[in-house]
Amino acid sequence: MRRLLAFLVPALAYGICASPAHAHTEFASLGVFWSGAAHFLLSFERPALVVAFAIWAGTHKQRADAALVGAIGLGTFIAGLATRPEVVESHSASTIVIVALVLLGAAGIARVQLGARPILIAAVCCGLIAGAIGATGETIRDRVINASALSLVAAAAAAYALMASSYVARWRRPASV
């Protein structure tokens, strides 16, 4: 057990504090817009967070679907534009997403229900986390276009997940006897 802990503790510390991961490159040949759209989809955990959040929000009794999609898109745009890729794109950013997924899963298991306002605030936070990829581009115009594509893809993922939530909600309800 001590040997296992002696290995796991440094591995965990490395995973949390690792240097920036340069796994994602700017897709210059696709153009600034498509580069932003593809960048969001290249990491598994960020789309998973948006989809899981939207499905969880869709199982609530009080829903605000259009506002939720807009809040996720807005949060993604703000974070995408505000952060620089070389600062945020690291294993620690992925760790934040994974922690958020664990908390979201726990809320789903506990069937936590929130009102519309807390859900929208949480949706903005979800978008901020997903958009922390950072927009790329030399000029502010390119960064805005890139962040716009990033936010549109995140909003689309949330919209499709909200549609899927109707199936999840039926599956979660016990059958009447």
Side-chain angles (χ1 to χ4, degrees), residues 55 59 164-173:
I55 289 174
T59 61
S165 70
S166 61
Y167 297 103
V168 173
R170 270 189 261 145
W171 172 74
R172 288 183 71 190
R173 290 192 189 108

Side-chain angles (χ1 to χ4, degrees), residues 76-148:
T76 305
F77 178 79
I78 290 169
L81 192 59
T83 57
R84 297 296 295 170
E86 62 271 6
V87 174
V88 176
E89 189 60 41
S90 67
H91 295 295
S92 57
S94 295
T95 302
I96 294 168
V97 176
I98 292 167
V99 168
L101 276 168
V102 168
L103 293 174
L104 188 59
I109 290 169
R111 297 185 183 215
V112 173
Q113 294 279 312
L114 301 175
R117 185 179 298 158
I119 282 286
L120 292 178
I121 292 168
V124 170
C125 293
C126 177
L128 288 170
I129 293 169
I133 295 168
T136 56
E138 297 299 319
T139 66
I140 189 66
R141 178 185 162 270
D142 287 349
R143 289 176 50 83
V144 167
I145 292 171
N146 196 270
S148 297

Side-chain angles (χ1 to χ4, degrees), residues 50 65 130 141 151 159 162:
V50 170
D65 290 3
R141 178 185 162 270
S151 66
L162 282 167

Side-chain angles (χ1 to χ4, degrees), residues 13-83:
Y14 174 77
I16 293 172
C17 304
S19 62
H22 298 287
H24 306 307
T25 59
E26 183 179 356
F27 297 97
S29 62
L30 296 175
V32 178
F33 180 83
W34 293 110
S35 174
H39 201 111
F40 176 77
L41 297 172
L42 282 177
S43 62
F44 174 75
E45 69 275 359
R46 288 178 177 104
L49 176 63
V50 170
V51 168
F53 180 85
I55 289 174
W56 174 69
T59 61
H60 282 60
K61 293 177 183 125
Q62 188 177 2
R63 291 178 60 161
D65 290 3
L68 183 123
V69 170
I72 287 177
L74 178 65
T76 305
F77 178 79
I78 290 169
L81 192 59
T83 57

